[in-house]
Amino acid sequence: MTEPADSLLPQSQSASSDSLIRKLEQLTPAQRRQLRQKLGQRSLNGNDLIAKVLSALGITHVYGISGVPVHQLLGQCARAGIRVVCGRHQQGATLMAASHNYAAGKLVAAVIVSSGPAITNTTTGVLVAWDNAWPLLVIGGGRGDGPPGMFQALDTQPIFTPITKAVFHLCSAQEIISTLSRAADLAISDRPGPVYIELDQSVLTQTASLTADLSPPRPSFPSFEPTAIAQAAALLQQAERPLLVFGKGVRWSEPYVELAQLTGLGIPFVASPMGQGYLPDDDSANVTPAGSLALSTADVVLSVGARWNWTFRFGAELAENAQLIQIDVHEPELGLNVKPAVGIVGDAQAILQALLMKLGSTSWQSKSGTAAWRAQLATASQEKQQYWRSRIDPTQLPLNLQTMYDAILPLLPRDAITVLEGNFTLEAGLRLVPCYRPASRFTNGSNGCVGVGLPFAIGAKIANPDRLVIAVSGDLSFGMTALELETAVRYQVPIVILVANNQGFCGSLYQHQNYGIDYPERVTMFVPNAQYEVLATAFGGFGATVQTASELTAAITDAIAANVPACINVQIDPTAPNPRH
């Protein structure tokens, strides 16, 4: 008589693997199917079930910090084949996961943290993901319904409701599959964003079966109105000075071919700071350096995945009679600060494909008015770039930011990922460092969060291990998450971070403006000879301090060759003015 399939299941941890393999080899195909079904229906504890569900949903990396009650959960994630990246602070870990998802273009990274303060420590990263519209799953270890005064008890719903797409309270192992599946779908669909899951400690010791067939969620978009496409096409066809504007929101639709087709018709473009690279900066249609002039003189503006907030000065630069065509996946974004002539909600790629079909053979290449306008914008863009480059002076010591960036440029491959943050540091970098590939430019983001540079670089590098990732941070920004250098060394993530060390908040500007030159204490200025590079060498990475442009070029070359996390301390003139002025 044939042996029942379930009798082959291991009866104890000491069961002989050789004996089990011999028995498995004797099974018929029908018995193998029966065994797979039996294995799938076995009861799992909450730790094991959550790990397996996350893996089935496409999560490849979990970021966080181990603690009660998630110690075992993180261990089970590792056993399920998920890479567990433990940072030095929950804020840094959350920022790493968010940037990882943006760099990957899909939901592959989640956050798991313990309870109480560990959960509140994630809120900055969650807010960054929310404001940037990046997908993220965050699981926090709740403490259940215990007595008053329970250790690290915290009601998380009021905290996360305003800055997430949804807050779930997971209080039963039977709800793990449905809750995590729903959370993943929400995180990536429509306008992406973070979802928070509060996890009762009791769930981890309860048991349930993995009975559902799960797969990674696929983005879903609302359907759009064909009549709006016809209206948009009609406006564009009448335009003499059409302008394409796009932002980082195009990441989740990836309409890169369609954007290039629009510029191929003779339409120039302006990209938001993190939109740089979705079309290469050296494209002849790029007039981003002259963005203010382009916006103020365009008669029809086609906006794709761009937000008319402070990034584009709330639309104040648009000409009074300009017609705005706004494409966005999030309906509340339409008409925010600027009322569009045509608003279209849906998948940007599908909408642009339909619009291009409607435009047919329409082209602005031969329109005399368009050609003259494009020439004007091209000249203005060149003048802006020349202005920024006119401040480059390798003989001036300490260096200014423009000279620092000029020394970096020859070492950047075309597919480099650049992370620029700070105040003066970001301002100069956006003007001088080109970007050529989608999702290759990170900045402080939509809410201007300071301290994101190092975590963003780590997450982006883990998502793209074969590409150079270089971050440039002001010394204020770097200090906020500097200990994540140890995380980079421990996980062998060879990023390069440059600290633009101008001794404080915008160098000496704020100190002198707000406290006076003779004030005896440094309030917004830091110690003058801070050795930030020692942090990297202390942990086993590469560190260097440089004063000249040639030293900087040599240090970056050595850092790349070392293939370990690197911190280069660049001495910047603290008295240098705002690079914009």
Side-chain angles (χ1 to χ4, degrees):
M1 186 174 179
T2 305
E3 189 173 14
D6 55 359
S7 69
L8 293 170
L9 297 177
Q11 302 302 309
S12 71
Q13 293 293 327
S14 60
S16 169
S17 59
D18 291 339
S19 173
L20 182 58
I21 291 172
R22 286 194 296 271
K23 288 185 178 182
L24 289 172
E25 290 173 343
Q26 297 170 9
L27 289 179
T28 66
Q31 288 174 318
R32 290 177 185 273
R33 287 193 297 271
Q34 182 187 2
L35 179 58
R36 281 196 297 270
Q37 184 178 14
K38 288 284 185 180
L39 287 170
Q41 293 177 350
R42 295 182 71 196
S43 290
L44 305 170
N45 66 37
N47 288 308
D48 198 6
L49 186 56
I50 291 172
K52 283 181 166 55
V53 170
L54 288 175
S55 179
L57 292 173
I59 299 300
T60 60
H61 291 72
V62 163
Y63 294 80
I65 293 182
S66 192
V68 177
V70 298
H71 285 302
Q72 293 182 1
L73 175 54
L74 290 170
Q76 286 301 117
C77 286
R79 293 183 186 92
I82 298 172
R83 189 180 189 191
V84 178
V85 180
C86 240
R88 294 300 296 263
H89 191 281
Q90 290 86 355
Q91 174 179 320
T94 307
L95 292 169
M96 291 177 209
S99 67
H100 186 147
N101 286 331
Y102 180 72
K106 52 188 175 181
L107 180 64
V108 292
V111 175
I112 296 179
V113 296
S114 52
S115 55
I119 295 172
T120 59
N121 285 348
T122 69
T123 53
T124 296
V126 172
L127 179 63
V128 167
W130 171 253
D131 286 337
N132 284 346
W134 291 351
L136 188 64
L137 288 184
V138 181
I139 299 175
R143 301 297 299 187
D145 297 323
M150 190 172 182
F151 180 66
Q152 293 189 341
L154 177 68
D155 181 7
T156 59
Q157 185 166 346
I159 298 172
F160 287 109
T161 296
I163 58 173
T164 61
K165 295 185 73 175
V167 175
F168 292 97
H169 182 192
L170 187 54
C171 54
S172 168
Q174 300 293 333
E175 299 172 353
I176 289 174
I177 297 174
S178 60
T179 299
L180 294 185
S181 298
R182 176 63 176 148
D185 284 336
L186 276 174
I188 198 65
S189 294
D190 298 326
R191 176 188 174 180
V195 176
Y196 179 73
I197 302 159
E198 183 182 58
L199 178 69
D200 275 6
Q201 184 171 354
S202 61
V203 173
L204 301 175
T205 56
Q206 297 173 20
T207 60
S209 300
L210 181 57
T211 55
D213 290 329
L214 300 174
S215 59
R218 300 183 64 181
S220 62
F221 304 99
S223 57
F224 56 88
E225 291 293 332
T227 54
I229 300 296
Q231 293 170 353
L235 278 178
L236 283 169
Q237 287 167 334
Q238 297 168 10
E240 282 289 325
R241 299 179 303 281
L243 179 68
L244 173 64
V245 176
F246 54 82
K248 64 180 179 296
V250 302
R251 176 57 170 152
W252 312 106
S253 180
E254 300 187 330
Y256 314 142
V257 171
E258 291 75 17
L259 292 174
Q261 288 175 338
L262 285 167
T263 61
L265 298 176
I267 303 177
F269 73 83
V270 169
S272 74
M274 284 188 67
Q276 285 184 256
Y278 285 104
L279 289 178
D281 276 351
D282 58 359
D283 190 310
S284 61
N286 181 21
V287 295
T288 302
S292 296
L293 177 62
L295 289 166
S296 64
T297 54
D299 55 4
V300 176
V301 175
L302 174 60
S303 170
V304 187
R307 299 162 75 179
W308 293 88
N309 54 17
W310 63 271
T311 306
F312 289 106
R313 297 173 180 80
F314 310 100
E317 292 178 326
L318 291 172
E320 185 176 350
N321 59 350
Q323 300 289 303
L324 176 65
I325 302 167
Q326 189 175 7
I327 299 172
D328 202 282
V329 73
H330 191 49
E331 187 169 6
E333 204 67 41
L334 300 185
L336 189 66
N337 298 314
V338 184
K339 184 178 180 180
V342 180
I344 311 175
V345 179
D347 175 14
Q349 184 179 59
I351 292 170
L352 291 183
Q353 287 173 350
L355 181 59
L356 285 161
M357 288 185 64
K358 206 71 178 176
L359 289 173
S361 59
T362 304
S363 174
W364 289 266
Q365 296 287 9
S366 58
K367 283 190 177 183
S368 58
T370 307
W373 180 60
R374 284 191 60 170
Q376 178 190 11
L377 296 179
T379 299
S381 293
Q382 291 172 0
E383 290 174 350
K384 286 285 186 181
Q385 291 173 316
Q386 289 170 359
Y387 166 79
W388 281 92
R389 293 193 61 80
S390 68
R391 306 293 185 88
I392 297 170
D393 183 3
T395 66
Q396 175 188 331
L397 297 177
L399 298 174
N400 62 27
L401 291 165
Q402 294 92 324
T403 307
M404 177 191 71
Y405 280 117
D406 186 59
I408 297 170
L409 295 183
L411 304 175
L412 296 179
R414 198 168 175 85
D415 69 344
I417 296 175
T418 51
V419 184
L420 310 175
E421 72 155 340
N423 191 335
F424 289 0
T425 310
L426 174 63
E427 183 78 23
L430 288 175
R431 302 307 189 275
L432 293 169
V433 181
C435 195
Y436 304 110
R437 296 286 188 271
S440 296
R441 165 61 47 78
F442 288 79
T443 70
N444 298 83
S446 294
N447 61 18
C449 182
V450 177
V452 300
L454 180 54
F456 276 4
I458 293 172
K461 181 64 175 181
I462 292 176
N464 296 274
D466 297 327
R467 296 171 64 184
L468 173 65
V469 177
I470 185 166
V472 185
S473 294
D475 47 356
L476 169 67
S477 306
F478 172 73
M480 291 187 173
T481 51
L483 273 183
E484 299 302 349
L485 268 175
E486 189 275 336
T487 306
V489 172
R490 181 161 31 102
Y491 285 91
Q492 300 179 6
V493 184
I495 52 96
V496 178
I497 184 162
L498 276 59
V499 181
N501 185 358
N502 62 355
Q503 302 182 23
F505 294 61
C506 302
S508 62
L509 178 65
Y510 287 174
Q511 175 81 23
H512 293 168
Q513 280 184 348
N514 298 311
Y515 299 90
I517 296 176
D518 298 327
Y519 192 76
E521 293 183 310
R522 285 182 169 232
V523 180
T524 61
M525 291 189 74
F526 306 143
V527 294
N529 296 305
Q531 296 176 290
Y532 297 114
E533 76 284 357
V534 173
L535 277 175
T537 57
F539 295 133
F542 175 94
T545 185
V546 300
Q547 294 182 328
T548 68
S550 59
E551 289 175 349
L552 175 56
T553 300
I556 296 175
T557 302
D558 291 343
I560 295 171
N563 198 36
V564 295
C567 177
I568 301 173
N569 187 12
V570 187
Q571 302 299 316
I572 299 296
D573 183 3
T575 66
N578 186 332
R580 180 188 287 271
H581 300 149

